Amino acid sequence: MGCIIRPARLEDAAALAAIYAPYVLETAVTFEYEPPDAGAFRRRMEAIQGRYPYLVAERAGEVLGYAYAAPFHDRAAFAWVAEPSIYLRRDARGRGLGSALYARLEELLRSQGIVSLCALIADAPAEDAYITHASVRFHARQGYTELGRYPRCGYKFGRWYDLVWMGKPLRDTAG
């Protein structure tokens, strides 16, 4: 695709908010009901970038997608586990961009001493107008395995959705 992957900048906030908004308004991929504006995105970015990578994929100056990691849990013992997230513009999906973003994200997280990732993914037993199994399939292709499922824990568009936990070790912690 001729893309570069670079650290996100606060001035990317409006572009990231525009990428994220259709996921909020038209899908159950995220359980948010209202899309955050650029200001809210900047605040989220600032909170995350102090500790974790936040990346964008860009082609010819245009942001096509982003990925970041966040704390898995606030307890000290979880400091070595991170929760990744990724969102791509619709016209940028299916071209390997997500895999490239995640590969770079994982490389940076390994260098920070993160030992495992835990992705929380909205899903449903059957696909519908608001959710497909695409995110679960994407994560499986990236080497994640299903760790558990919380059935019917998210309510959106008048329906109940599941939350799937998928994990990926970044290094062996045995011993």
Side-chain angles (χ1 to χ4, degrees):
M1 286 187 72
C3 291
I4 63 165
I5 295 174
R6 62 166 175 79
R9 299 184 292 255
L10 293 179
E11 54 267 24
D12 295 321
L16 303 187
I19 289 169
Y20 185 61
Y23 288 97
V24 174
L25 296 172
E26 302 166 13
T27 78
V29 168
T30 173
F31 290 163
E32 286 196 77
Y33 286 4
E34 298 293 328
D37 64 14
F41 243 90
R42 270 192 297 282
R43 289 186 293 280
R44 290 177 184 191
M45 292 169 71
E46 288 174 323
I48 289 169
Q49 288 175 320
R51 168 80 166 98
Y52 297 97
Y54 206 124
L55 305 172
V56 299
E58 177 184 282
R59 181 182 64 217
E62 191 172 10
V63 176
L64 301 176
Y66 63 97
Y68 63 92
F72 170 68
H73 198 282
D74 63 354
R75 300 283 192 268
F78 292 110
W80 294 269
V81 181
E83 178 187 346
S85 293
I86 186 168
Y87 294 93
L88 302 177
R89 245 178 36 188
R90 288 181 182 181
D91 61 343
R93 292 187 283 194
R95 301 180 186 177
L97 186 57
S99 295
L101 273 166
Y102 255 26
R104 180 68 179 133
L105 184 68
E106 290 174 11
E107 177 185 331
L108 292 169
L109 290 167
R110 270 189 205 92
S111 74
Q112 290 180 219
I114 299 297
V115 299
S116 63
L117 300 174
C118 187
L120 305 175
I121 303 164
D123 195 38
E127 293 184 354
D128 65 25
Y130 303 106
I131 197 104
T132 69
H133 302 305
S135 189
V136 170
R137 287 191 303 265
F138 168 78
H139 283 84
R141 286 193 306 274
Q142 306 310 308
Y144 288 74
T145 58
E146 187 170 324
L147 304 173
R149 178 180 292 262
Y150 284 110
R152 301 173 52 85
C153 67
Y155 188 77
K156 191 170 180 181
F157 303 121
R159 303 164 192 217
W160 288 99
Y161 291 96
D162 298 353
L163 189 62
V164 176
W165 288 43
M166 295 185 79
K168 180 179 181 177
L170 294 181
R171 70 171 58 148
D172 183 13
T173 57

